[in-house]
Amino acid sequence: MDLQLNGKLALVSGSTAGIGYAIARTLAQEGAAVIVNGRTQAAVDEAVERIRAETQGTVHGHAADLSKAEAAEETVRRFPGINILVNNLGIFEPKAFEDIPDEDWQRFFDVNVLSGVRLARLVLPDMKRADWGRIIFISSESAVQIPTEMIHYGMTKTAQLAVSRGLAESVAGTGITVNSVLPGPTKSRGVGDFVKDMARASDKSFEQVEAEFFEHVRPTSLIKRFASPQEVASLVAYVASPLASATTGAALRVDGGLIKSAF
Ligand code: NAD
């Protein structure tokens, strides 16, 4: 299938590793010019080189903390005409509810929600002028099944669904679509490191910790394993494509069947 992404310019926030990296690489493979973003120049340079080598695509690098207003504004000034925005950057941290201070609630909101809201607001005028655009929020199954071990994270992922749906309705009748994608547990760099640390601390193998995680912590998973970042990226690339023009205002799952609902 040709995803018809030639000539499109895509920004993927937080794309030097994990799910964001896989999305940036896949969009580049499918012909989009891609802006790779991370917080350090070294990480950005490395990711750009790898994606260029793997795809022979057009890849720009942009080191910036996109959870900050000035950085977001500067990014959109430097790269006018963004056609595809993937709001991927996000943080997680297991913490008991009683131990989560106000500052953590605020930080999670700022990084996971407001960063994407702001970037969407900044790219929307160009998308409206072109009467075409794709805005995709990388939410999580945790938006629906709030993890008791990180309720603040769940709150941010649910908020993304609200913003995404509301924004889709606000651009009804245009060529712009807005969707959220809900990955399940995915073996990104962040999660991979987390599981490796748990395995080391309990003297178990990665596979043992993975099996126990899906038996006790996420027992409703139907695939009983972490998804790969590529499995998430494949869905995102389709949603970013002109072929997905009738898919908007949706919360699309790539959760390994973890959410216990057919809809
Ligand atoms: P990750 O930690 O592996 O990678 C995140 C990337 O974002 C890194 O390159 C990091 O440097 C970058 N980043 C973080 N904060 C940034 C900032 N302020 N500015 C610019 N770059 C920044 O993360 P991941 O697991 O791939 O998660 C990506 C997204 O997917 C997040 O929104 C997360 O909530 C969501 N998600 C992940 C999983 C999972 O199991 N991995 C499941 C559901 C949803």
Side-chain angles (χ1 to χ4, degrees):
M1 192 188 280
D2 174 9
L3 292 186
Q4 301 173 8
L5 289 171
N6 283 320
K8 305 291 187 204
L9 177 63
L11 169 63
V12 185
S13 70
S15 45
T16 55
I19 293 170
Y21 178 84
I23 294 170
R25 185 187 52 203
T26 307
L27 293 177
Q29 214 154 35
E30 293 298 326
V34 176
I35 305 159
V36 168
N37 159 254
R39 282 160 300 176
T40 69
Q41 193 63 53
V44 168
D45 289 347
E46 199 210 319
V48 167
E49 281 315 308
R50 275 174 60 202
I51 295 177
R52 275 194 195 135
E54 287 172 26
T55 67
Q56 277 79 54
T58 305
V59 191
H60 309 285
H62 185 60
D65 181 345
L66 287 181
S67 68
K68 301 281 190 299
E70 319 79 65
E73 284 156 18
E74 204 266 314
T75 302
V76 175
R77 261 199 309 274
R78 182 176 164 199
F79 297 100
I82 290 169
N83 308 109
I84 299 166
L85 168 65
V86 183
N87 284 316
N88 167 77
L89 77 83
I91 51 173
F92 74 99
E93 183 189 24
K95 207 178 250 192
F97 179 75
E98 294 94 318
D99 298 334
I100 306 172
D102 288 1
E103 301 77 59
D104 282 13
W105 284 95
Q106 189 65 55
R107 185 166 54 92
F108 269 71
F109 179 79
D110 288 346
V111 176
N112 289 4
V113 184
L114 194 52
S115 64
V117 168
R118 190 182 289 122
L119 282 169
R121 194 174 60 218
L122 287 165
V123 299
L124 211 48
D126 275 348
M127 289 184 178
K128 283 186 171 167
R129 264 190 293 278
D131 195 28
W132 197 91
R134 296 282 179 266
I135 299 177
I136 302 167
F137 290 84
I138 305 301
S139 174
S140 169
E141 51 87 13
S142 296
V144 181
Q145 297 184 172
I146 308 296
T148 52
E149 75 276 14
M150 41 186 184
I151 297 172
H152 56 339
Y153 174 74
M155 172 278 293
T156 64
K157 294 290 140 179
T158 313
Q160 288 180 306
L161 302 189
V163 172
S164 165
R165 176 68 205 183
L167 188 49
E169 291 188 18
S170 83
V171 294
T174 73
I176 303 166
T177 69
V178 188
N179 292 285
S180 43
V181 166
L182 283 64
T186 303
K187 201 172 147 192
S188 60
R189 187 178 65 186
V191 168
D193 289 349
F194 182 64
V195 174
K196 273 185 218 140
D197 287 348
M198 276 171 65
R200 244 193 313 274
S202 54
D203 210 16
K204 291 177 180 156
S205 68
F206 186 98
E207 290 71 25
Q208 277 172 309
V209 174
E210 181 178 30
E212 285 172 12
F213 179 79
F214 286 100
E215 193 182 340
H216 303 296
V217 187
R218 294 289 187 279
T220 57
S221 166
L222 301 181
I223 61 173
K224 303 290 179 201
R225 62 168 174 82
F226 289 106
S228 69
Q230 186 56 52
E231 288 174 305
V232 178
S234 298
L235 176 60
V236 174
Y238 169 70
V239 179
S241 157
L243 302 188
S245 44
T247 299
T248 188
L252 302 161
R253 289 155 43 178
V254 52
D255 65 340
L258 196 147
I259 298 172
K260 262 180 96 63
S261 136
F263 301 102

